[in-house]
Amino acid sequence: MRQNRMLWLLDALERDPSRDKVIDALVGGVRALPLGRARDALHGTWLGHPVHPLMVQVPIGTWMSAAVLDLRPGPSRGAGLLVGVGLLAAGPAALTGAVDWAELRRRQTRVGLVHAVANATAVGLYGASLALRLSGRAGAGRTCGFLGLTAVGLGGMLGGHMAYRQASGANHAEEVPHVVREGWHRIGTVDEFPVGEPVRRTVDDVPVLVVREIGGSIHALAERCSHLAGPLSEGTVADGCVRCPWHGSVFRLSDGWNVRGPATAPQPAFDSRVVAGHVEISLRGEGQTAEEHGTGEPATATGRGEHDGHGD
Ligand code: FES
């Protein structure tokens, strides 16, 4: 199949391992930053999607506006002010991007490194632009500004490739409610789910994580992690939560809530019941509690929640 040159270059960048050692060192550095719970806030767990695309609005917007003012003849104090505001906003925007980047797949980090270099080049050029304007060399400052905007454009194009082609910040569990049919789905007999062990089942071609807890409660969540589709059935179950084996996102088993990032979206959750010794699950509506879904507490393998027949 014939591929356009730009796409070919981007795909070649994804496949190029020559900077992997640098990437590993930088990833280690970003992960070692003492950010504590602020790291989750920087990912955007409070927002439901990554914060980084919001944060870049200020530098991009101010620098674009400065370029418009710079198109007019003569020095522009307004353009200098906008360049300065953009520089102030670039630091926090870069930090949100860096913490997201450090939890991506290899190919995504390769593109992300070039994205970061392009944006760092832009910051350098805009810093020079501001210094030149302040020293009275408005023409040179304007030239640096236009070069900076070019670098920002390249960085933005690579960011778009990461977001849309590589699905870097997307919710990887979003399709689950659209694929799983309404109603109860039988997934096995109770004794197929050993207590405390994550088990993988499939419903309408969607992988599902099933965990039977001590006491008999049976929980079911979409199995592919909302962050980057990591296999939660290979994760660790503890304290009523499952921890993703890939980047450590933690989801509450009872409702799929993303207790810890980098995942910014919760896992779709299922209600469960036991019918004649068989476990059945039904997808819970978005934002719906088990009570609102009409099934009350999770099924237990000890009798509570057991039905005599099919409820759908
Ligand atoms: S895939 Fe990244 S935390 Fe699960």
Side-chain angles (χ1 to χ4, degrees):
M1 189 173 65
R2 211 176 137 76
Q3 206 177 29
N4 79 46
R5 187 150 187 82
M6 175 65 77
L7 207 48
W8 183 86
L9 281 171
L10 288 168
D11 286 344
L13 177 60
E14 285 184 32
R15 288 192 302 270
D16 179 10
S18 62
R19 289 171 299 279
D20 286 357
K21 283 206 171 103
V22 176
I23 289 171
D24 288 343
L26 290 171
V27 163
V30 174
R31 286 183 174 173
L33 289 173
L35 295 171
R37 295 306 291 247
R39 188 177 293 272
D40 279 356
L42 293 167
H43 283 305
T45 52
W46 57 277
L47 186 62
H49 61 76
V51 179
H52 183 61
L54 276 184
M55 300 293 286
V56 301
Q57 301 298 316
V58 180
I60 292 175
T62 51
W63 291 341
M64 288 282 278
S65 304
V68 172
L69 294 179
D70 277 340
L71 289 174
R72 301 183 309 180
S76 167
R77 284 174 61 89
L81 178 65
L82 287 166
V83 167
V85 170
L87 283 169
L88 286 176
L95 183 58
T96 57
V99 295
D100 286 348
W101 172 79
E103 309 298 343
L104 294 178
R105 295 191 191 112
R106 173 66 80 192
R107 282 180 168 225
Q108 295 165 328
T109 57
R110 289 172 181 162
V111 180
L113 180 66
V114 183
H115 166 76
V117 167
N119 289 330
T121 303
V123 168
L125 286 163
Y126 274 111
S129 171
L130 184 61
L132 288 164
R133 290 168 200 263
L134 290 173
S135 65
R137 297 165 65 191
R142 182 181 299 169
T143 303
C144 274
F146 285 127
L147 289 173
L149 193 62
T150 305
V152 165
L154 176 63
M157 185 267 290
L158 292 169
H161 181 84
M162 292 174 71
Y164 298 111
R165 187 168 172 88
Q166 297 185 300
S168 296
N171 174 6
H172 287 257
E174 199 281 332
E175 81 285 357
V176 171
H178 310 291
V179 176
V180 175
R181 285 169 298 149
E182 282 186 21
W184 293 97
H185 304 266
R186 189 164 280 196
I187 55 170
T189 57
V190 171
D191 54 12
E192 290 176 44
F193 303 97
V195 171
E197 277 185 33
V199 175
R200 186 181 190 274
R201 284 288 183 271
T202 303
V203 169
D204 289 337
D205 293 331
V206 171
V208 176
L209 164 76
V210 184
V211 178
R212 182 175 153 207
E213 289 195 296
I214 297 170
S217 296
I218 298 172
H219 300 292
L221 302 178
E223 198 261 353
R224 291 291 172 190
C225 176
S226 66
H227 177 232
L228 283 174
L232 294 183
S233 61
E234 295 172 24
T236 316
V237 172
D239 301 326
C241 295
V242 60
R243 187 175 191 275
C244 179
W246 282 8
H247 310 102
S249 289
V250 176
F251 301 96
R252 201 159 52 206
L253 288 168
S254 60
D255 59 4
W257 187 250
N258 47 318
V259 178
R260 295 295 306 268
T264 56
Q267 289 299 111
F270 293 77
D271 285 315
S272 63
R273 68 183 186 185
V274 176
V275 178
H278 288 83
V279 178
E280 296 185 347
I281 60 173
S282 170
L283 188 66
R284 196 178 300 161
E286 206 169 320
Q288 215 177 16
T289 64
E291 289 73 16
E292 286 164 348
H293 192 205
T295 53
E297 294 177 31
T300 70
T302 55
R304 189 161 54 94
E306 189 147 346
H307 294 233
D308 291 331
H310 295 279
D312 49 334

